[in-house]
Amino acid sequence: CLCRAHSLMSVLPGHSVVKYFTLPFNEVEIEDWAKTQREALAGPVTFGQLFTTAGCSHRSKEIMEIVQIYAHVPTLIGCSASGLIAGHQEIENEAGCCIALYHLPGTQARAIHLPLDTFEPTDRVTKIRAAIGPHPENVNAWTLFASSESIGNEAWLPDWDHATEHRTTIGGFACAATDGHESELYLNGAVYTDGAVALGLEGAVTIEPLISQGCRPVGSPWTITQAQDNIIHQIGNRPILEVLRDTLEGMSQQEQQKASGNVFIGLVLDEYKASFSAGDFLVRNLAAIDPKTGAVAIATPLRIGQNLQFQIRDASTASSDFELHLKLKAAELADRTIYGSCLCDCIGRGTSLYGVPDHDVSMIHEIYPDLPIIGLFCNGEFATSQNRTLLHGYAASLGLFVKRT
């Protein structure tokens, strides 16, 4: 029974704290909070997280220094974002920063920067292994934040899985804090504008991932019959643009209105399934359309024989899918101690999808009433599912810090 599972879950107080700070920047306020939380936590800080938005990112070094000194934080990681998530709020249109501190008993954190040359195709696994350090098997799970401007695709994720021995990974691509500026990555007082930063947990605590999609499939599944790199020419031996037009014309007028400017491509995750529904796809934008040839480009390399289905971003589907996955995860974690969380939401969610603020954090708190939540709106979400770390779109990637079994 899912209801019974909810009652058995234990969110342990005093093990994570989250705070949102708005502008103007107030050094004393952050300093006082850091001192207070150091005393409020049940033990020493294991690590902290920092996310910033426009107007605050240029103070990130100063913020990291204050937090690490006054809260005695040994390891601090984070990035710039398009919006912030803190407690019961999703802050989408205000400048500021949010900070989380975690006390995870019997747990150590290792944190790394992966420079841009780590992601070059030659010897990528070897270079990632060198960056993450010795004994990668000791790490239970990772949080990972990357620069979309410098990396920009997911071709490296299979090598990340290989190098980390397929450990659970959650996170996302950082967003530029202001137009014309690069996104920023934070690690122990340093600010990077390329590559990625990652934090691994060793010891008694791991991360339980949850991924929920924001789109639903429309029309029928199709097999790619002609493609080159990331360009789809034909599906079912017909030009893909022709099939898309037929799919849209076969929908009701109401559905066509929902689909206007809101159509995506879903690549099937499990080719062995007999049928597909919401959550069975990697959702990708239509990056370019060639009306003359009927070809469509997406940001992911493709292969002939791969299955796809057109998708529509849909608030009702996103909400029900997230609720279902939260309840299933609650049942899975019955009798497990939960210490905290991190939520990576796509910039395509929030009020632009639901029409109301704070939707996803409100739904989380219906299932986990006392859970401290920090997070960000990012430009693509990482989550591990079935031993594979994937880049998702229009998704919510939630990581729960839980006691290992």
Side-chain angles (χ1 to χ4, degrees), residues 222-226 271 303-307:
W222 293 87
T223 301
I224 298 174
T225 50
Q226 186 180 342
E271 301 281 356
R303 59 176 173 78
I304 293 173
Q306 200 168 0
N307 290 319

Side-chain angles (χ1 to χ4, degrees), residues 169-304:
T169 300
I170 61 119
F173 276 123
C175 289
T178 54
D179 291 340
H181 289 72
E182 295 176 302
S183 58
E184 295 181 345
L185 307 172
Y186 308 137
L187 181 61
N188 292 337
V191 177
Y192 301 99
T193 56
D194 64 33
V197 293
L199 181 139
L201 297 180
E202 304 179 45
V205 175
T206 189
I207 300 172
E208 281 287 339
L210 181 157
I211 187 74
S212 176
Q213 303 283 4
C215 296
R216 61 178 170 86
V218 293
S220 303
W222 293 87
T223 301
I224 298 174
T225 50
Q226 186 180 342
Q228 183 177 5
D229 298 326
N230 65 323
I231 300 173
I232 309 169
H233 293 281
Q234 292 189 355
I235 56 176
N237 294 314
R238 295 174 58 198
I240 182 171
L241 200 54
E242 179 183 301
V243 178
L244 174 57
R245 287 173 181 148
D246 287 350
T247 301
L248 294 174
E249 288 174 0
M251 295 162 58
S252 68
Q253 189 172 0
Q254 184 181 10
E255 288 284 274
Q256 288 181 19
Q257 289 175 348
K258 287 183 180 180
S260 179
N262 205 26
V263 176
F264 309 92
I265 284 178
L267 302 175
V268 170
L269 284 169
D270 184 355
E271 301 281 356
Y272 296 101
K273 291 191 71 171
S275 60
F276 311 112
S277 58
D280 290 334
F281 304 88
L282 278 179
V283 178
R284 294 293 181 261
N285 287 317
L286 279 65
I289 295 175
D290 186 343
K292 291 182 180 179
T293 64
V296 170
I298 64 174
T300 298
L302 301 150
R303 59 176 173 78
I304 293 173

